Amino acid sequence: MRMKHIYISCWMPIVGFCLSSLGIAGVTLAFATFLNPANCSGQIRFTGVNLFGAEFGESSLPGNYGQHYTYPIAAEVDYFLGEGMNTFRLPFRWERLQRSALAPLDATELSRMDTFVNYATSQGANVILDPHNFMRYFPDPNNFQTSSQGLVGVDPNVPISVFSDFWSQIADHYKDNDRVIFNLMNEPNSMQTSELVVAENAAIAAIRETGAENLILVPGNQWSGAWAWNETWYNGPNAVHMLNITDPLNNYAFDVHQYLDNNSSGGSQGIVSATIGQERLVNFTNWLQANNLRGFLGEFAVGDSTIGNGPSQIGDEAIDNMLSYMEANDDVWLGWAWWAAGPWYTNYFFSLEPNNLGQPNQSDRIQMDVLRPHFADVLGDLDGDGDVDEDDHGIWANAYALDDQGDIDGDGDTDGSDFLVWQRELWKTTTDRSQAFGATTAVPEPTSISLLLFLASASIAHRKAKLT
């Protein structure tokens, strides 16, 4: 059984510290190192979904917005947060955000991304930025996943400096938003693993040079498959070369993907066995534990037709076994993101997009029932009793401006922003998170002035109490 809301600060020379607020989904990872699981308590912190659409139209680059690609919308954010998720992985195309090598980021495209990122993070979500490029920039449009054209560090037109420049600009733009996570690349493949490490280290260095302290997710080679972590393709396995990843802040984790069909591609709804997901994560998990590292499952899924009571419908058992295994090894696993949901792919067999979003007849996909028991604990549940209520507000009030016991937003202190998150999450429970999303009508929305007066009076009261 996972414990909730025990605050542990593990101070370690050189490697920094790991502030682990168990059960707080919005924990700030900007200052976390995650290098010593033995000393820092673990827990699955990020549970969410890929929201695709911005990476569509790979053969039409940069393409036309609204025709070749789109971005997820606020209604999707609201729905998945209401269900209890707390993280969105946002796939997008590098070529749209940066129209030519070393050029400034395109202002129009960046504004589209900002619209989604700013809304989602303002609601307490974490957003993983994922250039969905397979380590390629303007590849052959007929072979955008494995083309030698545009391969970073291999194609002379795309040196590693182009990749690091891209990440430097993104990091500089989002460095003040600690809910933004940088996923260096989606599914690199068909290059030497040692060369991939050089490129990723260059990008990490460029990110840190901007002053950004955000969590960085580092993919491996061979489409970053967990099952292939020890395979010897591409002049050496990920398990050897990825030990050479260097981050001056040690605030990174390895992003892997794992599907359950016979070739781990996710190209079909086939599932090898009810335990195959767990089995394919074992070697990677052992590697993380042996090297005091952290992992994140960036893609996984089962099809809707695999869930049920028939003899071949083992999708629910397979997912439950897989996620339970990660929870049992949460000293090294940070979380996961389902593949996928989005406004343009509602008939996709892996889609988690609700039926008839925003309509009176809106309904969940069948996979949601399988995932819901594995969501990270309720944000704002400070006393760990499974719901957000006035008792949690009391903990916040007693800790206001004094310590971090009321820290709901994960920024390391107890202040007015934590109150606003508590207010938004009021009445949510672990058993039915969706029924009360947005139920802040129970507590009237404060105006800016009244909120400031409230916080000021609370601060004065606690200062007096501290002095006496």
Side-chain angles (χ1 to χ4, degrees):
M1 180 178 180
R2 291 182 291 160
M3 299 178 68
K4 302 178 182 179
H5 306 296
I6 300 176
Y7 292 75
I8 302 175
S9 294
C10 308
W11 292 89
M12 300 167 58
I14 302 176
V15 299
F17 69 96
C18 166
L19 177 60
S20 178
S21 172
L22 301 189
I24 298 233
V27 62
T28 298
L29 292 171
F31 305 100
T33 62
F34 302 119
L35 280 186
N36 198 327
N39 290 334
C40 292
S41 179
Q43 186 173 16
I44 300 296
R45 295 171 175 82
F46 305 107
T47 53
V49 63
N50 287 262
L51 288 181
F52 50 26
E55 85 285 15
F56 279 15
E58 298 93 341
S59 60
S60 300
L61 296 173
N64 298 318
Y65 176 70
Q67 177 185 359
H68 299 113
Y69 70 101
T70 188
Y71 274 82
I73 60 177
E76 289 166 323
V77 172
D78 293 344
Y79 168 76
F80 287 109
L81 287 180
E83 288 295 320
M85 288 182 166
N86 62 35
T87 300
F88 301 106
R89 186 171 181 256
L90 180 68
F92 66 93
R93 291 297 304 197
W94 175 1
E95 298 87 353
R96 292 175 178 138
L97 199 57
Q98 189 177 41
R99 299 300 174 98
S100 60
L102 305 178
L105 301 182
D106 182 81
T108 301
E109 194 67 21
L110 187 59
S111 176
R112 294 182 182 120
M113 181 175 287
D114 279 344
T115 297
F116 174 80
V117 171
N118 293 342
Y119 180 75
T121 58
S122 73
Q123 299 303 302
N126 308 286
V127 174
I128 301 171
L129 298 180
D130 164 47
H132 217 71
N133 279 73
F134 308 93
M135 212 61 189
R136 288 155 175 82
Y137 182 60
F138 281 108
D140 180 348
N142 296 313
N143 185 19
F144 61 87
Q145 289 195 25
T146 59
S147 168
S148 60
Q149 177 181 315
L151 187 57
V152 174
V154 176
D155 185 333
N157 295 313
V158 191
I160 289 174
S161 58
V162 171
F163 181 55
S164 60
D165 171 77
F166 172 66
W167 269 113
S168 176
Q169 293 194 56
I170 291 180
D172 192 56
H173 184 73
Y174 287 111
K175 64 185 178 183
D176 294 326
N177 189 339
D178 56 20
R179 293 192 183 280
V180 175
I181 299 169
F182 302 143
N183 191 162
L184 295 181
M185 182 57 62
N186 179 72
E187 297 186 350
N189 66 85
S190 308
M191 63 190 302
Q192 298 295 302
T193 309
S194 57
E195 294 174 350
L196 174 62
V197 169
V198 172
E200 291 178 334
N201 277 337
I204 293 170
I207 290 169
R208 297 308 184 210
E209 285 171 5
T210 69
E213 298 175 321
N214 307 60
L215 175 66
I216 297 173
L217 298 181
V218 181
N221 210 348
Q222 182 61 16
W223 286 270
S224 204
W227 67 277
W229 206 253
N230 295 316
E231 298 295 336
T232 57
W233 302 305
Y234 308 133
N235 195 30
N238 289 321
V240 172
H241 288 291
M242 289 297 151
L243 294 177
N244 294 319
I245 290 295
T246 301
D247 173 12
L249 295 185
N250 291 310
N251 187 24
Y252 68 97
F254 288 95
D255 171 66
V256 293
H257 299 172
Q258 190 55 65
Y259 292 96
L260 310 184
D261 49 354
N262 58 5
N263 62 1
S264 290
S265 70
S268 73
Q269 295 197 60
I271 299 176
V272 174
S273 73
T275 59
I276 190 61
Q278 172 183 336
E279 293 167 12
R280 287 175 174 171
L281 294 183
V282 169
N283 285 338
F284 177 69
T285 301
N286 290 343
W287 178 80
L288 292 174
Q289 291 171 332
N291 294 286
N292 291 327
L293 296 168
R294 291 285 175 135
F296 180 85
L297 185 60
E299 291 185 19
F300 72 104
V302 297
D304 48 9
S305 68
T306 69
I307 298 174
N309 297 318
S312 64
Q313 293 177 302
I314 57 174
D316 41 354
E317 292 89 348
I319 290 298
D320 185 64
N321 287 336
M322 189 179 194
L323 297 183
S324 295
Y325 175 76
M326 292 174 63
E327 291 161 5
N329 291 277
D330 64 1
D331 56 324
V332 293
W333 282 104
L334 292 182
W336 48 261
W338 178 273
W339 181 266
W344 279 8
Y345 223 172
T346 55
N347 294 325
Y348 180 42
F349 51 72
F350 288 157
S351 180
L352 206 61
E353 185 81 1
N355 300 300
N356 306 308
L357 176 64
Q359 302 302 313
N361 60 340
Q362 175 181 301
S363 61
D364 296 340
R365 297 291 178 129
I366 192 171
Q367 293 98 323
M368 186 62 79
D369 288 337
V370 181
L371 293 175
R372 192 175 286 109
H374 297 281
F375 291 161
D377 291 329
V378 176
L379 188 64
D381 179 22
L382 294 174
D383 59 7
D385 65 354
D387 58 20
V388 181
D389 56 19
E390 63 277 7
D391 293 334
D392 303 299
H393 175 269
I395 294 173
W396 171 84
N398 289 330
Y400 180 77
L402 296 178
D403 55 46
D404 64 0
Q405 298 303 301
D407 179 24
I408 299 173
D409 63 5
D411 65 356
D413 57 19
T414 303
D415 56 17
S417 63
D418 301 300
F419 171 79
L420 293 178
V421 177
W422 169 84
Q423 184 186 45
R424 192 197 72 217
E425 301 297 305
L426 185 61
W427 312 132
K428 280 193 187 180
T429 70
T430 53
T431 55
D432 187 2
R433 303 167 191 238
S434 60
Q435 68 180 358
F437 181 74
T440 54
T441 52
V443 176
E445 187 70 25
T447 63
S448 298
I449 294 176
S450 63
L451 176 61
L452 288 173
L453 290 173
F454 170 77
L455 296 179
S457 63
S459 178
I460 292 171
H462 281 285
R463 287 194 186 115
K464 288 181 177 179
K466 191 174 182 180
L467 288 173
T468 55

